[in-house]
Amino acid sequence: MVIIALTFLYYKIHLGNINKIRDNLITNNETTDNLDILSYKDYKELFETMVKTFNIEGFKVKASTIDGNVTAIEKELSFGKREFLTLNGDFNSPNTDEQFTIENEKQNIQITVGIYYTKNYIGNDFVGWIYNKGFAHLNKNLAEKNSTAVLTYKNLIVLVQYSSTSEVDISLMNNVMKALIEILKNFDKTKND
């Protein structure tokens, strides 16, 4: 009975938070119609800037989609909108998903940064962090070796995935997020100058 009550309380609290976030997004969208979003050209320039300037001590960029990629998906996964992650949803249209992966010298930590272009203003925010440490019923060997965080920037979604052969280093993840935010801020400044 106690578990049911705690589960109910947990979902009630989180559902309330989700509703507040949804209401805030609706309010923000209503007041941001005229805000400047990144053009597709800016998105590509930003990605190139990230790949060239992203710097975390002891890590190097080991892989990137900078030379182009097209991701095929099942149409149902996009609510029926497209079969490829591209501007128009077809194979010959420019892609809307880019990523690069950094790896440390020991090759026991990889961090992949995905940057996704949308045509809609989302806002600048840190919107999610998955970190499974401390959940008693999960396989600890899997749960504590990965983490995922999500930022939004204007009309972009930035996803950061951390994978390791040992426990996630939260301070490293924080440094990665701060470095990305700094690149975004500096890119914004160059566009406004």
Side-chain angles (χ1 to χ4, degrees):
M1 190 63 142
V2 172
I3 293 173
I4 293 171
L6 289 174
T7 303
F8 176 76
L9 180 62
Y10 173 83
Y11 284 109
K12 183 175 180 178
I13 290 169
H14 287 287
L15 185 57
N17 288 340
I18 290 169
N19 288 337
K20 287 178 190 174
I21 292 167
R22 184 204 66 223
D23 293 345
N24 190 30
L25 286 173
I26 291 168
T27 303
N28 286 342
N29 285 339
E30 290 172 353
T31 60
T32 57
D33 289 339
N34 296 324
L35 284 179
D36 200 21
I37 64 172
L38 292 179
S39 68
Y40 185 78
K41 180 182 175 200
D42 288 341
Y43 160 69
K44 296 301 266 188
E45 286 177 20
L46 174 60
F47 177 69
E48 288 179 18
T49 299
M50 281 187 166
V51 171
K52 291 175 185 172
T53 65
F54 190 80
N55 185 20
I56 296 291
E57 187 176 335
F59 284 80
K60 290 184 180 175
V61 174
K62 291 289 192 113
S64 134
T65 57
I66 205 160
D67 293 326
N69 74 304
V70 174
T71 303
I73 60 169
E74 293 181 33
K75 198 167 186 175
E76 303 94 65
L77 299 178
S78 68
F79 298 90
K81 290 180 186 156
R82 53 191 181 161
E83 294 180 81
F84 297 92
L85 298 182
T86 61
L87 281 174
N88 296 328
D90 59 45
F91 181 76
N92 295 317
S93 185
N95 66 311
T96 56
D97 68 319
E98 296 283 6
Q99 69 181 39
F100 66 93
T101 301
I102 62 171
E103 191 174 71
N104 66 347
E105 294 165 1
K106 293 180 182 179
Q107 295 185 311
N108 64 345
I109 300 173
Q110 287 181 344
I111 299 170
T112 301
V113 178
I115 303 162
Y116 309 101
Y117 179 83
T118 74
K119 295 178 182 177
N120 301 308
Y121 182 81
I122 304 168
N124 302 344
D125 202 356
F126 191 118
V127 295
W129 195 325
I130 298 171
Y131 181 49
N132 289 321
K133 184 174 182 165
F135 289 101
H137 299 295
L138 291 178
N139 177 335
K140 188 175 181 178
N141 289 326
L142 295 175
E144 295 183 0
K145 294 180 179 180
N146 63 75
S147 184
T148 304
V150 181
L151 294 172
T152 58
Y153 175 72
K154 295 189 177 199
N155 55 311
L156 305 181
I157 299 167
V158 180
L159 181 123
V160 179
Q161 181 182 2
Y162 180 116
S163 301
S164 176
T165 58
S166 59
E167 188 176 329
V168 170
D169 179 347
I170 289 297
S171 65
L172 174 59
M173 189 70 161
N174 279 331
N175 289 339
V176 167
M177 302 310 288
K178 289 175 186 176
L180 288 169
I181 289 168
E182 200 58 36
I183 291 170
L184 293 170
K185 285 180 181 177
N186 288 334
F187 186 80
D188 206 23
K189 288 178 189 173
T190 63
K191 290 296 165 193
N192 292 327
D193 289 344

